Amino acid sequence: MRTQVGIIGAGPAGLLLSRLLQLQGIDTVVLENRSRDYVEARIRAGILEEHTVQTLVDAGVGERLQREGLPHDGVYLQYPGVRHHLDFPSLCGRRVWAYGQTEVTKDLISAQLDDGPPLLFGVSDVVPEDVDGDAPRIRFTDADGVPQVLECDAIAGTDGFHGVSRPVVTAGTSGRLWERTYPYAWLGVLADVAPSTDELVYAWHPDGFALLSMRSPSVSRLYLQVDPGERIEDWSDDRIWEALATRSALEGWELQTGPITEKSVLPMRSFVSAPMRRGRLFLAGDAAHIVPPTGAKGLNLAVADVTLLAGALTRLLAEGRSDLVDTYSDRALARVWRCTHFSWWMTSMLHRAGDDFDAELQLAQLRRVCGSEAAARELAENYTGLPVG
C-alpha cells in the first residue's frame, strides 16, 4: 500500500487531519485499531471553541453541528449564595458551542466513508518504522488478519495517550514528559432531562465541585467531583441527583432530574510530551498532551494541532518546503502550555482538595473573577479559545 500521509488513530484529530489534507489534494490512509461502533460510542468533551466550529464548517463537516449544536454566550460561576454570569461576547467578542465529541466523530467518519480517503477499522500490530528518513512506513495487520505495509511520505500519530506513536517519538529524541495527577476525579452522567439552566454552571461547594452542562435541549451532561478511588456501583441515581442538587443549590431555582443513561468516573490529570515530532512522525491531540476537562480544552487543542499540522504537511508535500514542519512542535506546544495552564487554573480554583485556608483562597479568586472585568475577560479569552498559528 502507498499513500502520502499515514494516520494512526481515527479519533477526531486523525479524521479531521485526513479531511483537511484531502481538501489540499494530499492523499491519506487512516488506521484504527477499534471498530467503528466503538469509536462512535466513546463519550468525551462537548464544548467547542469558535475556531473549532469554523474549522469543521470550512472542512465541510459542520452542517449537523450548525443545525443541532447549542451556541452559548457565556457560563455561570457559582459559589454558595452566588451565581454570576460571564458574558463572553461583551468580554471578548466570541462564544462557544455545546456539541458532543461523539457527534463530531460521527460526522467525520460519515464524511470519510462517503467520499474520503481509506479508513481501516480493526487493525492491529501497528508499528511505525524508518521515521527518521524520507520514506517512513507503517506495518500493521488488517481486520482480516493479513499483514500489511503502508509506505508513506509522513506519519501522523493521533492515537491517544496509550497509542504506539508517542513511544517512538520519545525513544528517538531528547524529549521530556510532564505530568500532574490531581487528587480527585469526575463522576460524569448523561441524563434524559432538559438542562436546568441556559448556560453551563461551574459550581464551587464545600462538598466538592459540580458542573451542569448539556448535550441537547433534551439531554443533560452533569459532573460531580469525587475521590479517584470511587466505584461507580456505589453511586445510585438518587445519590447522584441529591449531590448535584446540594452542590448547585440556589434560592428560587431547582435542579431538574430525569433518567440517567450513562455513568462513568474520569480521573483528572495534566500531561505534556515534547517534542511533538521525530523526523517524519508527528504527534497531535492526546498522543502528545492531556488536560483536565474543567477548561474544555481537550478536543479544541487537538483541532488546533491538526490545523497547524495540515498546513505544515501540505507545505512539505505539495511545495517541498520544510519550514512549517520544522517549527510545528514549538508552535503547537506554545498553545498547549497556555491551555494546560488555563485548565490547571480552572481546576485548582473550583475543586475542594485542601483545608479551609485553601477554600478561602479559592473563594477569593472566584469573587475576583466575578467582580473584576479584567479578570473575567482573561477567563473568557482563554475559555473561548486563543488564536491558532
Side-chain angles (χ1 to χ4, degrees):
M1 301 175 65
R2 181 75 175 84
T3 193
Q4 289 178 283
V5 180
I7 300 175
I8 305 172
L15 293 167
L16 180 58
L17 177 62
S18 177
R19 184 74 178 182
L20 295 175
L21 291 173
Q22 178 192 5
L23 294 175
Q24 297 301 318
I26 304 297
D27 294 331
T28 67
V29 173
V30 182
L31 307 176
E32 170 58 46
N33 66 346
R34 302 285 191 170
S35 68
R36 178 181 180 179
D37 288 344
Y38 180 93
V39 172
E40 290 187 339
R42 287 185 291 206
I43 302 297
R44 294 290 189 272
I47 299 298
L48 307 183
E49 299 171 1
E50 277 198 357
H51 170 266
T52 297
V53 172
Q54 193 60 53
T55 300
L56 293 168
V57 171
D58 291 345
V61 290
E63 180 182 350
R64 193 162 68 95
L65 187 162
Q66 292 179 299
R67 185 175 66 250
E68 299 178 12
L70 304 177
H72 287 280
D73 288 337
V75 297
Y76 292 103
L77 292 182
Q78 179 170 324
Y79 50 93
V82 175
R83 180 178 291 173
H84 179 80
H85 186 250
L86 298 182
D87 186 274
F88 291 160
S90 66
L91 289 167
C92 66
R94 296 191 295 272
R95 59 176 14 176
V96 295
W97 293 66
Y99 189 69
Q101 178 172 322
T102 303
E103 305 310 314
V104 173
T105 303
K106 290 177 182 177
D107 295 341
L108 287 165
I109 288 177
S110 178
Q112 190 91 1
L113 296 179
D114 282 347
D115 64 354
L119 167 55
L120 308 182
F121 290 103
V123 307
S124 58
D125 306 320
V126 178
V127 180
E129 294 183 342
D130 292 342
V131 299
D132 295 317
D134 294 338
R137 68 178 65 87
I138 306 172
R139 293 190 183 274
F140 68 97
T141 302
D142 66 22
D144 295 324
V146 179
Q148 302 282 359
V149 178
L150 178 62
E151 304 286 349
C152 314
D153 297 314
I155 300 173
T158 59
D159 48 344
F161 179 81
H162 298 289
V164 300
S165 301
R166 179 171 52 82
V168 175
V169 172
T170 56
T173 63
S174 56
R176 283 197 61 186
L177 305 177
W178 295 265
E179 189 165 12
R180 169 68 54 83
T181 300
Y182 297 92
Y184 31 75
W186 275 10
L187 190 159
V189 303
L190 277 175
D192 287 338
V193 60
S196 299
T197 57
D198 57 335
E199 308 276 25
L200 278 68
V201 177
Y202 286 80
W204 183 98
H205 189 272
D207 291 350
F209 169 73
L211 172 59
L212 310 184
S213 183
M214 64 279 294
R215 283 293 181 268
S216 74
S218 60
V219 177
S220 294
R221 182 71 165 151
L222 309 146
Y223 300 93
L224 288 166
Q225 175 187 344
V226 297
D227 290 334
E230 286 285 347
R231 299 189 319 139
I232 197 68
E233 296 82 7
D234 295 334
W235 285 83
S236 66
D237 291 6
D238 288 344
R239 184 185 178 191
I240 290 171
W241 286 121
E242 181 180 355
L244 285 166
T246 297
R247 298 184 194 186
S248 62
L250 189 71
E251 186 175 355
W253 173 87
E254 184 177 355
L255 177 69
Q256 302 301 307
T257 65
I260 292 176
T261 58
E262 297 265 359
K263 299 181 188 179
S264 61
V265 174
L266 173 68
M268 303 280 281
R269 62 176 172 165
S270 297
F271 171 85
V272 180
S273 176
M276 292 172 59
R277 174 201 183 186
R278 174 186 171 184
R280 290 291 182 98
L281 172 58
F282 303 85
L283 303 180
D286 287 357
H289 45 75
I290 295 173
V291 293
T294 323
K297 293 293 128 197
L299 173 58
N300 295 293
L301 264 180
V303 172
D305 287 349
V306 299
T307 301
L308 292 176
L309 185 54
L313 290 174
T314 299
R315 180 84 69 98
L316 176 68
L317 301 178
E319 303 176 24
R321 298 170 60 185
S322 65
D323 55 331
L324 294 185
V325 294
D326 290 341
T327 59
Y328 163 70
S329 181
D330 288 341
R331 289 183 294 134
L333 284 167
R335 196 175 197 279
V336 166
W337 277 115
R338 176 60 251 165
C339 293
T340 298
H341 176 270
F342 175 69
S343 299
W344 164 84
W345 178 77
M346 284 280 286
T347 301
S348 301
M349 177 174 66
L350 289 162
H351 291 74
R352 282 300 309 267
D355 56 20
D356 289 342
F357 184 86
D358 294 314
E360 292 302 325
L361 293 177
Q362 292 174 313
L363 290 169
Q365 182 65 71
L366 283 164
R367 295 186 188 104
R368 166 69 177 169
V369 174
C370 294
S372 163
E373 183 176 337
R377 181 175 295 111
E378 175 72 8
L379 188 154
E381 288 177 349
N382 283 273
Y383 193 95
T384 58
L386 303 173
V388 177

